[in-house]
Amino acid sequence: MSRTFGLVGLPNAGKSTIFNALTAAGARVEPYPFSTLQAQKGVAPVPDPRLDRLHALFPEKKKVPTTIEVVDIAGLVEGASRGEGLGNQFLADIRAVEAILHVVRCFEDQDVAHPMGEIDVRRDIEIVETELLLKDLETLEGRKERLAKLARLGEKEAKEEFSLLERLVEGIKRGIPLRSQNLSPEEKEKLKGLSPLTLKPVLFVANVGDEGENKYSEEVAKIAQERGAGCVVIRGRLEMELSELPEEERREFLREYGLEGLAIERLVREAYRLLSVITFYTFVGPEVRAWTIPAGTKAPDAGAVIHTDFRDRFVLAEIMRLEDLEAFRSEKALREAGKIVRAGRDYVVQDGDVIHFIVA
Ligand SMILES: Nc1nc2c(ncn2[C@@H]2O[C@H](COP(=O)(O)OP(=O)(O)O)[C@@H](O)[C@H]2O)c(=O)[nH]1
Ligand SMILES: [Mg+2]
């Protein structure tokens, strides 16, 4: 199951550049606003040191990481929520993603036009946020109108939803995104059908030039902190160029510069964290593989991610720890040492579990 992320930001912030770095898929990158006429989709593997360690124990098997889906969303400008630029299309594209990567331009370059003339990080961020808020305002007001009559007739559920919407609309009018309005899980469930934009989790991506962090990226980090959101600083263009190199050359480059890895890998990991999902691993069969599940998933439902049958045919799950596998080198030795936990239907899968499902 792939999770989807949308790259959102002003024109020329570097969305397509980062999209390319993430997916090495070659979306069009040009120094003109609106070069991206349609949202492009790509898939990025999730770099995972634990999967690498497990694979090292079974090098003959194929390594299959989990993936995220990334959407390069077409140009947002001031007024998009009123239909300016590519307004409505872009907003529909955001509706379809689970979380937002808000790309903020933090590089100076005379040859790359800034839609507002020059960089002003806070203003640039607020333009994007305002458009999303305005769109939600429209969506929620529309729903309120449709509910008003039922609510007046005294229909209980309609009344409840109506007053919820009234409260949320008030918040949005004061500039508070839905994600910061302390919604209960039940309230979120009620809004699900509307898929409001400001309820989606956000990660800020400060796109800096080749020199790395600067005063702009520092400000993005500060603003992210004010919002209770994360921030990843990324040398978008450099990383795009690196991601296009063959793996060996890339490693060489990273070694030369004393870098541990690409920032794009950190971006993927942080993005993944936004969704409160966890990863478990399997190595039975020809693949060593990572799987994504929501935190709190029970063993039979985790099995169903591998094969829908596994839920009904579930007998038990043998749970191994990666550290133990590394120490004992084989499943057999682990078994003899009594290091395999046999878990039943109620077992809640933990992040990092290595699992062998026994099915009927
Ligand atoms: N100088 C410089 N240019 C960049 C950097 N990142 C992206 N660009 C350029 O900025 C322009 C717009 O980037 P693009 O990714 O298309 O922006 P988008 O409109 O947000 O998709 C392109 O010409 C990129 O090559 C950077 O770090 N430094
Ligand atoms: Mg673009």
Side-chain angles (χ1 to χ4, degrees), residues 178-232:
L178 293 172
R179 79 178 75 81
S180 306
Q181 291 198 38
N182 298 319
L183 289 157
S184 69
E186 297 76 40
E187 289 170 335
K188 281 184 189 163
E189 193 58 36
K190 282 211 176 83
L191 295 179
K192 218 170 178 182
L194 302 173
S195 48
L197 310 179
T198 65
L199 193 56
K200 298 175 193 291
V202 174
L203 176 64
F204 286 91
V205 181
N207 181 29
V208 295
D210 296 359
E211 309 75 32
E213 289 182 24
N214 57 29
K215 62 178 185 204
Y216 300 125
S217 65
E218 272 165 28
E219 199 178 347
V220 177
K222 189 167 148 248
I223 294 169
Q225 204 174 20
E226 289 169 16
R227 309 280 195 268
C231 174
V232 174

CSV table of all heavy atoms in Angstrom, one decimal, residues 178-232:
chain,number,residue,atom,x,y,z
A,178,LEU,N,-7.5,23.4,9.9
A,178,LEU,CA,-8.2,22.4,10.6
A,178,LEU,C,-7.3,21.5,11.5
A,178,LEU,O,-7.7,21.0,12.5
A,178,LEU,CB,-9.0,21.6,9.7
A,178,LEU,CG,-10.2,22.3,9.0
A,178,LEU,CD1,-10.8,21.5,7.9
A,178,LEU,CD2,-11.2,22.8,10.0
A,179,ARG,N,-6.1,21.2,11.0
A,179,ARG,CA,-5.2,20.3,11.7
A,179,ARG,C,-4.8,20.9,13.1
A,179,ARG,O,-4.4,20.1,13.9
A,179,ARG,CB,-4.0,20.0,10.9
A,179,ARG,CG,-2.9,21.0,10.8
A,179,ARG,CD,-1.7,20.6,10.0
A,179,ARG,NE,-2.0,20.7,8.6
A,179,ARG,CZ,-1.9,21.8,7.9
A,179,ARG,NH1,-1.6,22.9,8.4
A,179,ARG,NH2,-2.1,21.8,6.6
A,180,SER,N,-5.0,22.2,13.2
A,180,SER,CA,-4.7,22.8,14.5
A,180,SER,C,-5.9,23.1,15.4
A,180,SER,O,-5.8,23.8,16.4
A,180,SER,CB,-3.9,24.1,14.3
A,180,SER,OG,-2.8,23.9,13.5
A,181,GLN,N,-7.0,22.6,14.9
A,181,GLN,CA,-8.3,22.9,15.7
A,181,GLN,C,-8.7,21.8,16.6
A,181,GLN,O,-9.9,21.7,17.0
A,181,GLN,CB,-9.4,23.2,14.7
A,181,GLN,CG,-9.2,24.6,14.0
A,181,GLN,CD,-10.4,25.1,13.4
A,181,GLN,OE1,-11.5,25.0,13.9
A,181,GLN,NE2,-10.3,25.7,12.2
A,182,ASN,N,-7.8,20.9,17.0
A,182,ASN,CA,-8.0,19.9,18.0
A,182,ASN,C,-9.3,19.0,17.8
A,182,ASN,O,-10.1,18.9,18.6
A,182,ASN,CB,-8.1,20.5,19.4
A,182,ASN,CG,-6.9,21.1,19.8
A,182,ASN,OD1,-5.8,20.6,19.6
A,182,ASN,ND2,-6.9,22.3,20.4
A,183,LEU,N,-9.4,18.5,16.6
A,183,LEU,CA,-10.6,17.7,16.3
A,183,LEU,C,-10.4,16.3,16.9
A,183,LEU,O,-9.3,15.7,16.9
A,183,LEU,CB,-10.7,17.5,14.7
A,183,LEU,CG,-11.1,18.8,14.0
A,183,LEU,CD1,-10.7,18.7,12.6
A,183,LEU,CD2,-12.6,18.9,14.1
A,184,SER,N,-11.5,15.8,17.4
A,184,SER,CA,-11.5,14.4,17.9
A,184,SER,C,-11.5,13.4,16.7
A,184,SER,O,-11.9,13.8,15.6
A,184,SER,CB,-12.7,14.1,18.8
A,184,SER,OG,-13.9,14.1,18.0
A,185,PRO,N,-11.1,12.2,17.0
A,185,PRO,CA,-11.2,11.2,15.9
A,185,PRO,C,-12.6,11.1,15.2
A,185,PRO,O,-12.7,11.0,14.0
A,185,PRO,CB,-10.8,9.9,16.5
A,185,PRO,CG,-10.0,10.3,17.7
A,185,PRO,CD,-10.5,11.6,18.2
A,186,GLU,N,-13.6,11.2,16.1
A,186,GLU,CA,-15.0,11.1,15.5
A,186,GLU,C,-15.3,12.3,14.6
A,186,GLU,O,-15.9,12.2,13.6
A,186,GLU,CB,-16.0,11.1,16.6
A,186,GLU,CG,-15.9,9.9,17.6
A,186,GLU,CD,-14.8,10.0,18.6
A,186,GLU,OE1,-14.6,11.1,19.1
A,186,GLU,OE2,-14.1,9.0,18.8
A,187,GLU,N,-14.8,13.5,15.0
A,187,GLU,CA,-15.0,14.7,14.2
A,187,GLU,C,-14.3,14.6,12.9
A,187,GLU,O,-14.8,15.0,11.9
A,187,GLU,CB,-14.6,15.9,15.0
A,187,GLU,CG,-15.6,16.2,16.2
A,187,GLU,CD,-15.1,17.3,17.1
A,187,GLU,OE1,-13.9,17.5,17.2
A,187,GLU,OE2,-15.9,17.9,17.8
A,188,LYS,N,-13.1,14.1,13.0
A,188,LYS,CA,-12.3,13.9,11.7
A,188,LYS,C,-13.0,12.9,10.8
A,188,LYS,O,-13.1,13.2,9.6
A,188,LYS,CB,-10.9,13.3,12.0
A,188,LYS,CG,-10.0,14.4,12.5
A,188,LYS,CD,-8.6,13.8,12.7
A,188,LYS,CE,-7.7,14.8,13.5
A,188,LYS,NZ,-6.5,14.2,14.0
A,189,GLU,N,-13.6,11.9,11.4
A,189,GLU,CA,-14.3,10.9,10.6
A,189,GLU,C,-15.5,11.6,9.8
A,189,GLU,O,-15.8,11.3,8.7
A,189,GLU,CB,-14.8,9.8,11.5
A,189,GLU,CG,-15.4,8.6,10.9
A,189,GLU,CD,-14.3,7.9,9.9
A,189,GLU,OE1,-13.1,7.9,10.3
A,189,GLU,OE2,-14.8,7.4,8.9
A,190,LYS,N,-16.2,12.5,10.6
A,190,LYS,CA,-17.3,13.2,10.0
A,190,LYS,C,-16.9,14.1,8.7
A,190,LYS,O,-17.6,14.3,7.8
A,190,LYS,CB,-17.9,14.2,11.0
A,190,LYS,CG,-18.8,13.5,12.0
A,190,LYS,CD,-20.0,14.4,12.4
A,190,LYS,CE,-20.9,13.8,13.4
A,190,LYS,NZ,-20.5,13.7,14.8
A,191,LEU,N,-15.6,14.5,8.8
A,191,LEU,CA,-15.2,15.4,7.7
A,191,LEU,C,-14.6,14.7,6.5
A,191,LEU,O,-14.3,15.2,5.5
A,191,LEU,CB,-14.1,16.4,8.2
A,191,LEU,CG,-14.5,17.4,9.3
A,191,LEU,CD1,-13.4,18.2,9.7
A,191,LEU,CD2,-15.6,18.3,8.7
A,192,LYS,N,-14.4,13.4,6.7
A,192,LYS,CA,-13.7,12.6,5.8
A,192,LYS,C,-14.1,12.8,4.3
A,192,LYS,O,-13.3,12.9,3.4
A,192,LYS,CB,-13.8,11.1,6.1
A,192,LYS,CG,-12.5,10.3,5.9
A,192,LYS,CD,-12.6,9.0,6.5
A,192,LYS,CE,-11.3,8.2,6.2
A,192,LYS,NZ,-11.4,6.8,6.8
A,193,GLY,N,-15.5,12.7,4.1
A,193,GLY,CA,-16.0,12.8,2.8
A,193,GLY,C,-15.7,14.2,2.1
A,193,GLY,O,-15.7,14.3,0.9
A,194,LEU,N,-15.4,15.2,2.9
A,194,LEU,CA,-15.1,16.5,2.3
A,194,LEU,C,-13.6,16.6,2.0
A,194,LEU,O,-13.2,17.5,1.3
A,194,LEU,CB,-15.5,17.6,3.3
A,194,LEU,CG,-16.9,17.7,3.8
A,194,LEU,CD1,-17.1,18.7,4.9
A,194,LEU,CD2,-17.8,18.0,2.6
A,195,SER,N,-12.8,15.7,2.5
A,195,SER,CA,-11.3,15.7,2.5
A,195,SER,C,-10.8,17.2,2.5
A,195,SER,O,-10.2,17.6,1.5
A,195,SER,CB,-10.7,14.9,1.4
A,195,SER,OG,-11.3,15.1,0.2
A,196,PRO,N,-11.0,17.9,3.6
A,196,PRO,CA,-10.5,19.3,3.6
A,196,PRO,C,-8.9,19.3,3.6
A,196,PRO,O,-8.3,18.5,4.1
A,196,PRO,CB,-11.0,19.8,5.0
A,196,PRO,CG,-11.4,18.6,5.7
A,196,PRO,CD,-11.6,17.5,4.8
A,197,LEU,N,-8.4,20.4,2.9
A,197,LEU,CA,-7.0,20.5,2.6
A,197,LEU,C,-6.2,20.8,3.9
A,197,LEU,O,-5.1,20.2,4.0
A,197,LEU,CB,-6.8,21.6,1.6
A,197,LEU,CG,-7.6,21.5,0.3
A,197,LEU,CD1,-7.3,22.6,-0.6
A,197,LEU,CD2,-7.4,20.1,-0.4
A,198,THR,N,-6.7,21.6,4.8
A,198,THR,CA,-5.9,22.0,5.9
A,198,THR,C,-5.9,21.0,7.1
A,198,THR,O,-5.4,21.2,8.1
A,198,THR,CB,-6.3,23.4,6.4
A,198,THR,OG1,-7.6,23.4,7.0
A,198,THR,CG2,-6.2,24.5,5.3
A,199,LEU,N,-6.6,19.9,6.8
A,199,LEU,CA,-6.6,18.8,7.8
A,199,LEU,C,-5.4,17.9,7.5
A,199,LEU,O,-4.9,17.1,8.4
A,199,LEU,CB,-7.9,18.0,7.8
A,199,LEU,CG,-8.2,17.1,8.9
A,199,LEU,CD1,-8.1,17.7,10.3
A,199,LEU,CD2,-9.6,16.4,8.7
A,200,LYS,N,-4.9,17.9,6.3
A,200,LYS,CA,-3.8,17.1,6.0
A,200,LYS,C,-2.5,17.5,6.7
A,200,LYS,O,-2.2,18.7,6.8
A,200,LYS,CB,-3.6,17.1,4.5
A,200,LYS,CG,-4.8,16.6,3.7
A,200,LYS,CD,-4.6,16.7,2.2
A,200,LYS,CE,-5.9,16.6,1.4
A,200,LYS,NZ,-6.4,15.2,1.4
A,201,PRO,N,-1.7,16.5,7.2
A,201,PRO,CA,-0.5,16.9,7.8
A,201,PRO,C,0.5,17.5,6.8
A,201,PRO,O,0.4,17.2,5.6
A,201,PRO,CB,0.1,15.5,8.3
A,201,PRO,CG,-0.7,14.5,7.7
A,201,PRO,CD,-2.0,15.1,7.2
A,202,VAL,N,1.4,18.4,7.3
A,202,VAL,CA,2.3,19.2,6.5
A,202,VAL,C,3.7,19.0,6.9
A,202,VAL,O,4.0,19.0,8.1
A,202,VAL,CB,2.0,20.7,6.5
A,202,VAL,CG1,3.1,21.5,5.8
A,202,VAL,CG2,0.7,21.0,6.0
A,203,LEU,N,4.6,18.9,6.0
A,203,LEU,CA,6.0,18.9,6.3
A,203,LEU,C,6.6,20.0,5.4
A,203,LEU,O,6.3,20.1,4.2
A,203,LEU,CB,6.7,17.6,5.9
A,203,LEU,CG,8.2,17.4,6.0
A,203,LEU,CD1,8.6,17.6,7.5
A,203,LEU,CD2,8.7,16.1,5.5
A,204,PHE,N,7.4,20.9,6.0
A,204,PHE,CA,8.0,22.0,5.2
A,204,PHE,C,9.3,21.5,4.6
A,204,PHE,O,10.1,20.8,5.2
A,204,PHE,CB,8.2,23.2,6.1
A,204,PHE,CG,7.0,24.0,6.4
A,204,PHE,CD1,6.3,23.7,7.6
A,204,PHE,CD2,6.5,25.0,5.5
A,204,PHE,CE1,5.1,24.4,7.8
A,204,PHE,CE2,5.3,25.7,5.8
A,204,PHE,CZ,4.6,25.4,7.0
A,205,VAL,N,9.5,21.9,3.3
A,205,VAL,CA,10.7,21.5,2.6
A,205,VAL,C,11.4,22.8,2.2
A,205,VAL,O,10.9,23.5,1.3
A,205,VAL,CB,10.4,20.7,1.4
A,205,VAL,CG1,11.7,20.3,0.7
A,205,VAL,CG2,9.6,19.4,1.8
A,206,ALA,N,12.5,23.2,2.8
A,206,ALA,CA,13.2,24.4,2.5
A,206,ALA,C,14.2,24.1,1.4
A,206,ALA,O,15.2,23.3,1.6
A,206,ALA,CB,14.0,24.9,3.7
A,207,ASN,N,13.9,24.6,0.2
A,207,ASN,CA,14.8,24.2,-1.0
A,207,ASN,C,15.9,25.3,-1.1
A,207,ASN,O,15.7,26.4,-1.6
A,207,ASN,CB,13.9,24.2,-2.3
A,207,ASN,CG,14.7,23.8,-3.5
A,207,ASN,OD1,15.8,23.1,-3.4
A,207,ASN,ND2,14.3,24.4,-4.6
A,208,VAL,N,17.1,24.9,-0.7
A,208,VAL,CA,18.2,25.8,-0.7
A,208,VAL,C,19.1,25.5,-1.9
A,208,VAL,O,19.0,24.5,-2.6
A,208,VAL,CB,19.1,25.7,0.6
A,208,VAL,CG1,18.2,26.2,1.8
A,208,VAL,CG2,19.6,24.3,0.8
A,209,GLY,N,20.0,26.5,-2.2
A,209,GLY,CA,21.0,26.3,-3.3
A,209,GLY,C,22.1,25.3,-2.9
A,209,GLY,O,22.1,24.8,-1.8
A,210,ASP,N,23.1,25.2,-3.8
A,210,ASP,CA,24.2,24.3,-3.6
A,210,ASP,C,25.0,24.5,-2.3
A,210,ASP,O,25.6,23.6,-1.8
A,210,ASP,CB,25.2,24.3,-4.8
A,210,ASP,CG,24.5,23.9,-6.1
A,210,ASP,OD1,23.3,23.5,-6.0
A,210,ASP,OD2,25.1,23.9,-7.1
A,211,GLU,N,24.9,25.8,-1.8
A,211,GLU,CA,25.7,26.1,-0.6
A,211,GLU,C,25.1,25.5,0.7
A,211,GLU,O,25.7,25.5,1.7
A,211,GLU,CB,25.9,27.6,-0.4
A,211,GLU,CG,26.4,28.3,-1.7
A,211,GLU,CD,25.3,28.5,-2.8
A,211,GLU,OE1,24.1,28.6,-2.4
A,211,GLU,OE2,25.7,28.4,-4.0
A,212,GLY,N,23.8,25.2,0.6
A,212,GLY,CA,23.2,24.6,1.8
A,212,GLY,C,22.4,25.6,2.6
A,212,GLY,O,22.0,26.6,2.1
A,213,GLU,N,22.3,25.3,3.9
A,213,GLU,CA,21.4,26.2,4.8
A,213,GLU,C,21.8,27.6,4.7
A,213,GLU,O,22.9,28.0,4.5
A,213,GLU,CB,21.6,25.7,6.2
A,213,GLU,CG,21.0,24.4,6.5
A,213,GLU,CD,21.1,23.9,8.0
A,213,GLU,OE1,21.3,24.8,8.8
A,213,GLU,OE2,21.0,22.7,8.2
A,214,ASN,N,20.7,28.5,4.8
A,214,ASN,CA,20.9,29.9,4.8
A,214,ASN,C,19.9,30.6,5.7
A,214,ASN,O,19.1,29.9,6.3
A,214,ASN,CB,20.9,30.4,3.3
A,214,ASN,CG,19.6,30.1,2.6
A,214,ASN,OD1,18.6,29.9,3.3
A,214,ASN,ND2,19.6,29.9,1.3
A,215,LYS,N,19.9,32.0,5.6
A,215,LYS,CA,18.9,32.7,6.5
A,215,LYS,C,17.5,32.3,6.1
A,215,LYS,O,16.6,32.3,7.0
A,215,LYS,CB,19.2,34.2,6.4
A,215,LYS,CG,19.0,34.8,5.0
A,215,LYS,CD,19.2,36.3,4.9
A,215,LYS,CE,18.8,36.7,3.5
A,215,LYS,NZ,19.3,38.0,3.1
A,216,TYR,N,17.2,32.1,4.9
A,216,TYR,CA,15.8,31.7,4.5
A,216,TYR,C,15.4,30.4,5.1
A,216,TYR,O,14.3,30.2,5.6
A,216,TYR,CB,15.7,31.7,3.0
A,216,TYR,CG,16.0,33.0,2.3
A,216,TYR,CD1,17.0,33.0,1.2
A,216,TYR,CD2,15.4,34.2,2.6
A,216,TYR,CE1,17.3,34.2,0.6
A,216,TYR,CE2,15.7,35.4,2.0
A,216,TYR,CZ,16.6,35.4,1.0
A,216,TYR,OH,16.9,36.5,0.3
A,217,SER,N,16.3,29.4,4.9
A,217,SER,CA,15.9,28.1,5.4
A,217,SER,C,15.8,28.1,7.0
A,217,SER,O,15.0,27.4,7.5
A,217,SER,CB,16.9,27.0,5.0
A,217,SER,OG,18.2,27.2,5.6
A,218,GLU,N,16.6,29.0,7.6
A,218,GLU,CA,16.5,29.1,9.1
A,218,GLU,C,15.1,29.6,9.4
A,218,GLU,O,14.5,29.2,10.4
A,218,GLU,CB,17.5,30.0,9.6
A,218,GLU,CG,18.8,29.3,10.0
A,218,GLU,CD,20.0,30.2,10.2
A,218,GLU,OE1,19.8,31.4,10.6
A,218,GLU,OE2,21.1,29.8,9.9
A,219,GLU,N,14.6,30.6,8.6
A,219,GLU,CA,13.3,31.2,8.9
A,219,GLU,C,12.2,30.1,8.6
A,219,GLU,O,11.2,30.1,9.4
A,219,GLU,CB,13.1,32.4,8.0
A,219,GLU,CG,12.0,33.3,8.6
A,219,GLU,CD,11.7,34.5,7.8
A,219,GLU,OE1,12.6,34.9,6.9
A,219,GLU,OE2,10.7,35.2,8.0
A,220,VAL,N,12.4,29.3,7.6
A,220,VAL,CA,11.4,28.3,7.3
A,220,VAL,C,11.3,27.3,8.5
A,220,VAL,O,10.2,27.0,9.0
A,220,VAL,CB,11.7,27.4,6.1
A,220,VAL,CG1,10.7,26.3,5.9
A,220,VAL,CG2,11.7,28.3,4.8
A,221,ALA,N,12.5,27.0,9.1
A,221,ALA,CA,12.5,26.1,10.2
A,221,ALA,C,11.8,26.7,11.4
A,221,ALA,O,11.0,26.0,12.1
A,221,ALA,CB,14.0,25.7,10.6
A,222,LYS,N,12.0,28.0,11.6
A,222,LYS,CA,11.3,28.7,12.7
A,222,LYS,C,9.8,28.7,12.5
A,222,LYS,O,9.0,28.4,13.4
A,222,LYS,CB,11.9,30.1,12.7
A,222,LYS,CG,11.4,30.9,14.0
A,222,LYS,CD,12.2,32.2,14.1
A,222,LYS,CE,11.4,33.2,14.8
A,222,LYS,NZ,11.1,34.4,13.9
A,223,ILE,N,9.4,29.0,11.3
A,223,ILE,CA,7.9,29.0,11.0
A,223,ILE,C,7.3,27.6,11.2
A,223,ILE,O,6.2,27.5,11.7
A,223,ILE,CB,7.7,29.6,9.6
A,223,ILE,CG1,8.1,31.1,9.5
A,223,ILE,CG2,6.2,29.4,9.2
A,223,ILE,CD1,8.1,31.7,8.2
A,224,ALA,N,8.0,26.6,10.7
A,224,ALA,CA,7.5,25.3,10.9
A,224,ALA,C,7.3,25.0,12.3
A,224,ALA,O,6.3,24.4,12.7
A,224,ALA,CB,8.5,24.3,10.2
A,225,GLN,N,8.3,25.4,13.1
A,225,GLN,CA,8.2,25.1,14.6
A,225,GLN,C,7.0,25.8,15.2
A,225,GLN,O,6.3,25.2,16.0
A,225,GLN,CB,9.5,25.6,15.3
A,225,GLN,CG,9.7,24.9,16.6
A,225,GLN,CD,11.1,25.3,17.1
A,225,GLN,OE1,11.7,26.4,16.8
A,225,GLN,NE2,11.6,24.5,18.0
A,226,GLU,N,6.7,27.1,14.7
A,226,GLU,CA,5.5,27.8,15.2
A,226,GLU,C,4.3,27.0,14.9
A,226,GLU,O,3.3,27.0,15.6
A,226,GLU,CB,5.4,29.1,14.5
A,226,GLU,CG,6.4,30.2,14.9
A,226,GLU,CD,6.4,31.4,14.0
A,226,GLU,OE1,5.4,31.6,13.2
A,226,GLU,OE2,7.3,32.2,14.0
A,227,ARG,N,4.3,26.3,13.8
A,227,ARG,CA,3.1,25.5,13.3
A,227,ARG,C,3.1,24.1,13.9
A,227,ARG,O,2.2,23.4,13.7
A,227,ARG,CB,3.2,25.3,11.8
A,227,ARG,CG,3.4,26.5,11.0
A,227,ARG,CD,2.1,27.3,10.8
A,227,ARG,NE,2.2,28.3,9.7
A,227,ARG,CZ,2.6,29.6,9.9
A,227,ARG,NH1,3.0,30.0,11.1
A,227,ARG,NH2,2.6,30.4,8.9
A,228,GLY,N,4.1,23.8,14.7
A,228,GLY,CA,4.2,22.4,15.2
A,228,GLY,C,4.4,21.4,14.1
A,228,GLY,O,4.0,20.2,14.2
A,229,ALA,N,5.1,21.9,13.0
A,229,ALA,CA,5.3,21.0,11.8
A,229,ALA,C,6.8,20.7,11.7
A,229,ALA,O,7.6,21.4,12.3
A,229,ALA,CB,4.8,21.6,10.6
A,230,GLY,N,7.2,19.7,10.9
A,230,GLY,CA,8.6,19.4,10.7
A,230,GLY,C,9.1,20.2,9.5
A,230,GLY,O,8.4,20.9,8.8
A,231,CYS,N,10.5,20.2,9.4
A,231,CYS,CA,11.1,20.9,8.3
A,231,CYS,C,12.3,20.2,7.8
A,231,CYS,O,13.1,19.8,8.7
A,231,CYS,CB,11.5,22.3,8.7
A,231,CYS,SG,12.4,23.3,7.5
A,232,VAL,N,12.5,20.0,6.5
A,232,VAL,CA,13.7,19.4,6.0
A,232,VAL,C,14.3,20.4,5.0
A,232,VAL,O,13.6,20.9,4.2
A,232,VAL,CB,13.3,18.1,5.3
A,232,VAL,CG1,14.6,17.5,4.6
A,232,VAL,CG2,12.7,17.0,6.2
